[in-house]
Amino acid sequence: MEVFPSPLESAKFIADNSKDVSVDEEGARRVAESLFDKASAADFGLAGWKSLHELNPQAASEEAVDWVFLVDTLNFSFWSEQEEQKYLVKYKGKTHSGYWSLCAAVNRALDDGIPITSASYFATMTLDQVKHVFRSDTEVPIPLIEERHRLLNESGTVLLEKFGGSFLTCVKMSEKSAQKLLHLVLQNFPSYRDEAVFEKKKVSFYKRAQILVADTWSVLEGKGDGSFDDISSLTIFADYRIPQVLVHLKAMKYSEELMKKLREGMVFHSGDKEEVEIRGCSIWCCALICKHLLELYEKKGQDMREKINAVLLDYHLWDYARDHREEMKDTPFHRVRCIYY
């Protein structure tokens, strides 16, 4: 049986041994304080996943779960080489970029009668069909189209062969445990195994696998098959936006040398030392923010363990990044082209 290292334990190990990235404990505390009032609002909670994001499925159905699986299988690498030249998708009168361009393309295909969320369809899609579904409304195509085609075929085949063609089967098999679902995903879908070696030790981040579990929890509104009682065991989803926000909010710091590389637009490879430090420290930093936030509520006599976790913190920080693009443009994000994020 393959061992899947814990992203949280990996993050602590990386943060303890990191050279170019550091977590600022005081900064993390300040971020927690700034979130104190926001974290008790309804939008911070589970309801925000649907109410704040019109492209997300609004139902809690098997079709919605299959939508989540498809989208998170392709949830990687949306950044643009040049800010003024982006992959964009127009849908219902709005133009979407980044991750939302993927969601818009999926919804556009469904509206056109293409059963893109059905495993029996995407398991056998041709490259041309994938190009058509994810066509751009600009000259810039979606990045890594061949990899997306390969992953659609691979994951669709696994769903058909092992889970009767629906990700909901996986969810039911997990018996309302986020960790059990995470491990089912990692065991059966190779593209979700987001790992690296750091200081001779195997470490993990599992960005897409964890976000798949979290989005399943969110689409099912934490009820029925999605009532995971261990949802707070997940970490944040280490991508390229969350670290940028943490540095912007001064909860995390980069060395001058690393900052110089980032400002020059250097493209890292998945598994490069600096990239591993950025992602690991982000996870650890957010774990500290959650811890401080829960302590602040505890002092006020409130037990918020049901309402505050890394998943909801990630959703909040990710939306913050989108809403504060302009203020954050002086903080560079790290560039990596890979299938993991």
mmCIF file of all heavy atoms in Angstrom, residues 111-133:
data_model
loop_
_atom_site.group_PDB
_atom_site.id
_atom_site.type_symbol
_atom_site.label_atom_id
_atom_site.label_comp_id
_atom_site.label_asym_id
_atom_site.label_seq_id
_atom_site.Cartn_x
_atom_site.Cartn_y
_atom_site.Cartn_z
ATOM 1 N N ASP A 111 -24.454 23.697 -21.725
ATOM 2 C CA ASP A 111 -25.572 24.427 -22.366
ATOM 3 C C ASP A 111 -25.717 24.060 -23.844
ATOM 4 O O ASP A 111 -26.809 24.095 -24.402
ATOM 5 C CB ASP A 111 -25.371 25.949 -22.251
ATOM 6 C CG ASP A 111 -25.538 26.444 -20.820
ATOM 7 O OD1 ASP A 111 -25.879 25.622 -19.942
ATOM 8 O OD2 ASP A 111 -25.317 27.649 -20.573
ATOM 9 N N ASP A 112 -24.575 23.722 -24.472
ATOM 10 C CA ASP A 112 -24.587 23.339 -25.894
ATOM 11 C C ASP A 112 -24.955 21.863 -26.099
ATOM 12 O O ASP A 112 -24.869 21.345 -27.214
ATOM 13 C CB ASP A 112 -23.209 23.596 -26.533
ATOM 14 C CG ASP A 112 -22.905 25.090 -26.675
ATOM 15 O OD1 ASP A 112 -23.848 25.891 -26.538
ATOM 16 O OD2 ASP A 112 -21.722 25.441 -26.903
ATOM 17 N N GLY A 113 -25.284 21.189 -24.996
ATOM 18 C CA GLY A 113 -25.678 19.781 -25.098
ATOM 19 C C GLY A 113 -24.522 18.803 -25.149
ATOM 20 O O GLY A 113 -24.687 17.630 -25.481
ATOM 21 N N ILE A 114 -23.309 19.270 -24.816
ATOM 22 C CA ILE A 114 -22.138 18.367 -24.778
ATOM 23 C C ILE A 114 -22.038 17.801 -23.359
ATOM 24 O O ILE A 114 -21.891 18.564 -22.394
ATOM 25 C CB ILE A 114 -20.835 19.127 -25.137
ATOM 26 C CG1 ILE A 114 -20.931 19.681 -26.565
ATOM 27 C CG2 ILE A 114 -19.616 18.217 -24.984
ATOM 28 C CD1 ILE A 114 -19.820 20.663 -26.937
ATOM 29 N N PRO A 115 -22.111 16.481 -23.179
ATOM 30 C CA PRO A 115 -22.126 15.902 -21.815
ATOM 31 C C PRO A 115 -20.725 15.843 -21.186
ATOM 32 O O PRO A 115 -20.234 14.790 -20.777
ATOM 33 C CB PRO A 115 -22.704 14.503 -22.049
ATOM 34 C CG PRO A 115 -22.275 14.160 -23.441
ATOM 35 C CD PRO A 115 -22.220 15.446 -24.219
ATOM 36 N N ILE A 116 -20.087 16.990 -21.102
ATOM 37 C CA ILE A 116 -18.677 17.075 -20.700
ATOM 38 C C ILE A 116 -18.412 16.529 -19.293
ATOM 39 O O ILE A 116 -17.307 16.087 -18.993
ATOM 40 C CB ILE A 116 -18.149 18.536 -20.858
ATOM 41 C CG1 ILE A 116 -16.659 18.676 -20.504
ATOM 42 C CG2 ILE A 116 -18.972 19.521 -20.031
ATOM 43 C CD1 ILE A 116 -15.721 17.903 -21.367
ATOM 44 N N THR A 117 -19.425 16.526 -18.415
ATOM 45 C CA THR A 117 -19.185 16.041 -17.047
ATOM 46 C C THR A 117 -19.451 14.539 -16.908
ATOM 47 O O THR A 117 -19.329 13.988 -15.810
ATOM 48 C CB THR A 117 -20.051 16.815 -16.035
ATOM 49 O OG1 THR A 117 -21.423 16.698 -16.427
ATOM 50 C CG2 THR A 117 -19.668 18.281 -15.976
ATOM 51 N N SER A 118 -19.828 13.880 -17.996
ATOM 52 C CA SER A 118 -20.081 12.428 -17.945
ATOM 53 C C SER A 118 -18.805 11.657 -18.264
ATOM 54 O O SER A 118 -18.209 11.856 -19.329
ATOM 55 C CB SER A 118 -21.151 12.037 -18.971
ATOM 56 O OG SER A 118 -22.355 12.687 -18.670
ATOM 57 N N ALA A 119 -18.429 10.775 -17.358
ATOM 58 C CA ALA A 119 -17.196 9.993 -17.538
ATOM 59 C C ALA A 119 -17.205 9.231 -18.863
ATOM 60 O O ALA A 119 -16.182 9.136 -19.536
ATOM 61 C CB ALA A 119 -17.004 9.037 -16.374
ATOM 62 N N SER A 120 -18.366 8.710 -19.264
ATOM 63 C CA SER A 120 -18.425 7.938 -20.516
ATOM 64 C C SER A 120 -18.102 8.822 -21.722
ATOM 65 O O SER A 120 -17.627 8.337 -22.732
ATOM 66 C CB SER A 120 -19.801 7.292 -20.688
ATOM 67 O OG SER A 120 -20.806 8.275 -20.600
ATOM 68 N N TYR A 121 -18.317 10.141 -21.568
ATOM 69 C CA TYR A 121 -17.959 11.069 -22.651
ATOM 70 C C TYR A 121 -16.483 11.460 -22.571
ATOM 71 O O TYR A 121 -15.731 11.285 -23.526
ATOM 72 C CB TYR A 121 -18.849 12.322 -22.605
ATOM 73 C CG TYR A 121 -18.518 13.315 -23.710
ATOM 74 C CD1 TYR A 121 -18.931 13.083 -25.014
ATOM 75 C CD2 TYR A 121 -17.769 14.466 -23.449
ATOM 76 C CE1 TYR A 121 -18.618 13.970 -26.042
ATOM 77 C CE2 TYR A 121 -17.442 15.356 -24.470
ATOM 78 C CZ TYR A 121 -17.870 15.111 -25.760
ATOM 79 O OH TYR A 121 -17.546 15.983 -26.771
ATOM 80 N N PHE A 122 -16.045 11.955 -21.394
ATOM 81 C CA PHE A 122 -14.668 12.487 -21.371
ATOM 82 C C PHE A 122 -13.587 11.407 -21.353
ATOM 83 O O PHE A 122 -12.431 11.666 -21.651
ATOM 84 C CB PHE A 122 -14.463 13.585 -20.319
ATOM 85 C CG PHE A 122 -14.608 13.210 -18.855
ATOM 86 C CD1 PHE A 122 -13.599 12.552 -18.172
ATOM 87 C CD2 PHE A 122 -15.742 13.585 -18.137
ATOM 88 C CE1 PHE A 122 -13.712 12.260 -16.819
ATOM 89 C CE2 PHE A 122 -15.867 13.301 -16.778
ATOM 90 C CZ PHE A 122 -14.846 12.624 -16.113
ATOM 91 N N ALA A 123 -13.974 10.154 -21.051
ATOM 92 C CA ALA A 123 -12.993 9.053 -21.109
ATOM 93 C C ALA A 123 -12.520 8.806 -22.536
ATOM 94 O O ALA A 123 -11.423 8.286 -22.756
ATOM 95 C CB ALA A 123 -13.601 7.778 -20.538
ATOM 96 N N THR A 124 -13.362 9.160 -23.513
ATOM 97 C CA THR A 124 -13.017 8.850 -24.909
ATOM 98 C C THR A 124 -12.910 10.105 -25.775
ATOM 99 O O THR A 124 -12.864 10.010 -27.003
ATOM 100 C CB THR A 124 -14.083 7.916 -25.519
ATOM 101 O OG1 THR A 124 -15.368 8.542 -25.387
ATOM 102 C CG2 THR A 124 -14.119 6.576 -24.807
ATOM 103 N N MET A 125 -12.886 11.273 -25.160
ATOM 104 C CA MET A 125 -12.781 12.511 -25.943
ATOM 105 C C MET A 125 -11.503 12.536 -26.771
ATOM 106 O O MET A 125 -10.453 12.089 -26.299
ATOM 107 C CB MET A 125 -12.735 13.731 -25.000
ATOM 108 C CG MET A 125 -14.084 14.233 -24.547
ATOM 109 S SD MET A 125 -13.860 15.657 -23.441
ATOM 110 C CE MET A 125 -14.145 17.013 -24.577
ATOM 111 N N THR A 126 -11.592 13.088 -27.951
ATOM 112 C CA THR A 126 -10.397 13.282 -28.773
ATOM 113 C C THR A 126 -9.783 14.643 -28.407
ATOM 114 O O THR A 126 -10.453 15.482 -27.791
ATOM 115 C CB THR A 126 -10.754 13.308 -30.270
ATOM 116 O OG1 THR A 126 -11.605 14.446 -30.510
ATOM 117 C CG2 THR A 126 -11.474 12.032 -30.691
ATOM 118 N N LEU A 127 -8.557 14.849 -28.817
ATOM 119 C CA LEU A 127 -7.895 16.129 -28.559
ATOM 120 C C LEU A 127 -8.686 17.271 -29.209
ATOM 121 O O LEU A 127 -8.861 18.340 -28.611
ATOM 122 C CB LEU A 127 -6.448 16.103 -29.064
ATOM 123 C CG LEU A 127 -5.632 17.392 -28.847
ATOM 124 C CD1 LEU A 127 -5.565 17.781 -27.367
ATOM 125 C CD2 LEU A 127 -4.225 17.241 -29.413
ATOM 126 N N ASP A 128 -9.197 17.036 -30.411
ATOM 127 C CA ASP A 128 -9.969 18.082 -31.099
ATOM 128 C C ASP A 128 -11.246 18.442 -30.334
ATOM 129 O O ASP A 128 -11.626 19.607 -30.265
ATOM 130 C CB ASP A 128 -10.327 17.640 -32.531
ATOM 131 C CG ASP A 128 -9.137 17.797 -33.480
ATOM 132 O OD1 ASP A 128 -8.188 18.534 -33.106
ATOM 133 O OD2 ASP A 128 -9.140 17.191 -34.561
ATOM 134 N N GLN A 129 -11.889 17.434 -29.760
ATOM 135 C CA GLN A 129 -13.093 17.705 -28.960
ATOM 136 C C GLN A 129 -12.743 18.523 -27.709
ATOM 137 O O GLN A 129 -13.471 19.436 -27.335
ATOM 138 C CB GLN A 129 -13.770 16.391 -28.557
ATOM 139 C CG GLN A 129 -14.506 15.714 -29.704
ATOM 140 C CD GLN A 129 -15.028 14.334 -29.312
ATOM 141 O OE1 GLN A 129 -14.336 13.543 -28.674
ATOM 142 N NE2 GLN A 129 -16.268 14.041 -29.708
ATOM 143 N N VAL A 130 -11.610 18.195 -27.090
ATOM 144 C CA VAL A 130 -11.160 18.935 -25.899
ATOM 145 C C VAL A 130 -10.854 20.387 -26.288
ATOM 146 O O VAL A 130 -11.246 21.333 -25.596
ATOM 147 C CB VAL A 130 -9.921 18.262 -25.250
ATOM 148 C CG1 VAL A 130 -9.378 19.104 -24.092
ATOM 149 C CG2 VAL A 130 -10.273 16.863 -24.745
ATOM 150 N N LYS A 131 -10.184 20.550 -27.429
ATOM 151 C CA LYS A 131 -9.872 21.910 -27.915
ATOM 152 C C LYS A 131 -11.151 22.700 -28.181
ATOM 153 O O LYS A 131 -11.206 23.903 -27.908
ATOM 154 C CB LYS A 131 -9.025 21.840 -29.190
ATOM 155 C CG LYS A 131 -7.570 21.506 -28.927
ATOM 156 C CD LYS A 131 -6.771 21.410 -30.225
ATOM 157 C CE LYS A 131 -5.300 21.150 -29.927
ATOM 158 N NZ LYS A 131 -4.530 20.815 -31.151
ATOM 159 N N HIS A 132 -12.169 22.030 -28.705
ATOM 160 C CA HIS A 132 -13.430 22.715 -28.999
ATOM 161 C C HIS A 132 -14.125 23.141 -27.700
ATOM 162 O O HIS A 132 -14.555 24.295 -27.560
ATOM 163 C CB HIS A 132 -14.357 21.805 -29.818
ATOM 164 C CG HIS A 132 -15.731 22.398 -29.992
ATOM 165 N ND1 HIS A 132 -15.973 23.491 -30.806
ATOM 166 C CD2 HIS A 132 -16.927 22.078 -29.411
ATOM 167 C CE1 HIS A 132 -17.261 23.813 -30.736
ATOM 168 N NE2 HIS A 132 -17.861 22.971 -29.904
ATOM 169 N N VAL A 133 -14.234 22.242 -26.740
ATOM 170 C CA VAL A 133 -14.921 22.551 -25.470
ATOM 171 C C VAL A 133 -14.227 23.703 -24.743
ATOM 172 O O VAL A 133 -14.880 24.602 -24.214
ATOM 173 C CB VAL A 133 -14.998 21.288 -24.569
ATOM 174 C CG1 VAL A 133 -15.389 21.665 -23.133
ATOM 175 C CG2 VAL A 133 -16.003 20.298 -25.136
#
